[in-house]
Amino acid sequence: MTTQQSFTRHDITFPSGDSSCAGWLYLPTGVTSPPVVILGHGLGAVREMRLDAFAERFAQAGIAAVAFTYRHFGDSGGHPRQLLSIKRQLADWDAATAYVKARTDVDRTRIAVWGSSFGGGHAITVASRHPELRAAVAQCPFTDGLASALALGPAASLKVVPVVARDLAARGHGKPPVMVPIAAAPGSSALMNAPDALPGYQALQPAGTTFRNEVAARVIPTILAYRPGRAAKKIAMPILFCVSYTDSVTPPPRPYARTAPKGEIKRYDAGHFDFYTGETFEVLVRDQIEFLTRQLDPAAAASAP
């Protein structure tokens, strides 16, 4: 049984590219040089949308945590706002990793990454590029843009084409981006329009959240071409895939997950957005703590005198 302990949360900012990312650092109280896990979210989401819930539980288990918001979103820097760039987000992950490695109050040799949904795909990519990491967690991960587009349906996919064209034209003329909703009702033009997408995103938003339900439409062609699942076979460290049986947003990653040399797969009878709250969250976070504890060994961290 894991003993719960207290923690402190610190507001942090670290440089990334031409701007900076805002985040929170969770440090277990009374522990010297704990291992650390870096947490990043999904499509257009900000860290206030339940990343804190996971980070708090990890810290209570003796594992420090850094939860950050990508550039162009929330209270992080970057212009224009609501620009979802896969290249920039992966650079933000690299910047977060560099930030952790530069700290002296965590164990820089015991770092893990944790990503959910679109961030779960990023966690796969990051883990494949950083063999020095000790572990990775990919929660209901986005693994294949083409498969996700097929799940969305051809009619819905075609609806966004005119919006993409207008946004690309706006970029060419130096005008503000043309936005597309991240989540919307079934049949709507959006990145996600499954029946549980809009209520699922709304349920994650606390009062006063900085979340905006829109992104620049120009990202859509790059999402279609993004296939992070293919990198699973290159991941040297243990990685835990947490998969929904009934995911309406990101098709199950089983073909890719099975190619990870040290991959573990946990399956849950819950929808994509159920992972963040309620009993599913409780079961999920316990499984993730067990995995991270096994790989990072927080008990090896020294207790402060």
Side-chain angles (χ1 to χ4, degrees):
M1 180 180 294
T2 301
T3 301
Q4 281 198 357
Q5 58 189 81
S6 61
F7 61 87
T8 56
R9 191 181 88 177
H10 308 269
D11 293 332
I12 61 170
T13 303
F14 56 85
S16 182
D18 56 1
S19 189
S20 61
C21 293
W24 294 317
L25 168 66
Y26 296 76
L27 290 174
T29 302
V31 179
T32 300
S33 199
V36 59
V37 57
I38 302 168
L39 296 89
H41 222 318
L43 279 175
V46 294
R47 68 187 184 282
E48 291 90 346
M49 297 166 69
R50 296 290 291 175
L51 285 196
D52 51 347
F54 287 91
E56 288 174 5
R57 293 298 186 88
F58 297 152
Q60 288 171 350
I63 302 170
V66 169
F68 73 95
T69 297
Y70 300 110
R71 281 178 292 168
H72 305 280
F73 294 92
D75 57 351
S76 289
H79 293 280
R81 304 307 294 167
Q82 303 302 115
L83 176 66
L84 201 168
S85 163
I86 294 170
K87 182 178 180 180
R88 284 173 173 257
Q89 290 194 350
L90 289 173
D92 292 344
W93 277 97
D94 290 341
T97 303
Y99 169 81
V100 167
K101 290 178 178 178
R103 294 195 67 94
T104 59
D105 50 2
V106 298
D107 188 337
R108 294 166 286 184
T109 69
R110 292 186 293 155
I111 302 173
V113 291
W114 180 104
S116 187
S117 195
F118 204 63
H122 289 338
I124 295 170
T125 301
V126 172
S128 73
R129 295 178 177 180
H130 288 271
E132 77 279 10
L133 297 174
R134 291 284 288 270
V137 177
Q139 175 176 293
C140 51
F142 172 98
T143 56
D144 191 306
L146 182 58
S148 292
L150 293 174
L152 184 65
S157 298
L158 288 173
K159 282 185 177 181
V160 300
V161 172
V163 186
V164 173
R166 292 200 301 273
D167 187 36
L168 291 174
R171 181 176 66 177
H173 290 89
K175 295 181 178 179
V178 177
M179 301 292 176
V180 62
I182 298 170
S188 303
S189 175
L191 297 185
M192 298 182 292
N193 63 7
D196 60 338
L198 183 57
Y201 253 61
Q202 290 172 336
L204 301 183
Q205 300 172 42
T209 181
T210 54
F211 173 71
R212 287 168 52 187
N213 184 23
E214 61 182 7
V215 295
R218 68 193 68 170
V219 72
I220 292 174
T222 64
I223 291 177
L224 293 174
Y226 189 37
R227 309 182 80 178
R230 290 184 166 188
K233 61 182 179 290
K234 302 176 184 176
I235 297 175
M237 75 287 299
I239 178 170
L240 175 64
F241 295 91
C242 297
V243 181
S244 164
Y245 277 118
T246 55
D247 200 319
S248 61
V249 176
T250 56
R254 279 172 289 181
Y256 293 121
R258 289 172 180 157
T259 68
K262 297 181 180 179
E264 299 180 25
I265 304 173
K266 290 276 189 178
R267 299 178 177 86
Y268 304 87
D269 187 14
H272 186 87
F273 294 98
D274 295 329
F275 276 30
Y276 301 94
T277 58
E279 182 56 31
T280 301
F281 164 77
E282 296 294 339
V283 174
L284 186 73
V285 78
R286 284 197 298 267
D287 288 344
Q288 293 174 359
I289 288 172
E290 188 279 330
F291 171 80
L292 290 170
T293 298
R294 219 176 342 117
Q295 307 305 332
L296 299 177
D297 189 16
S303 296

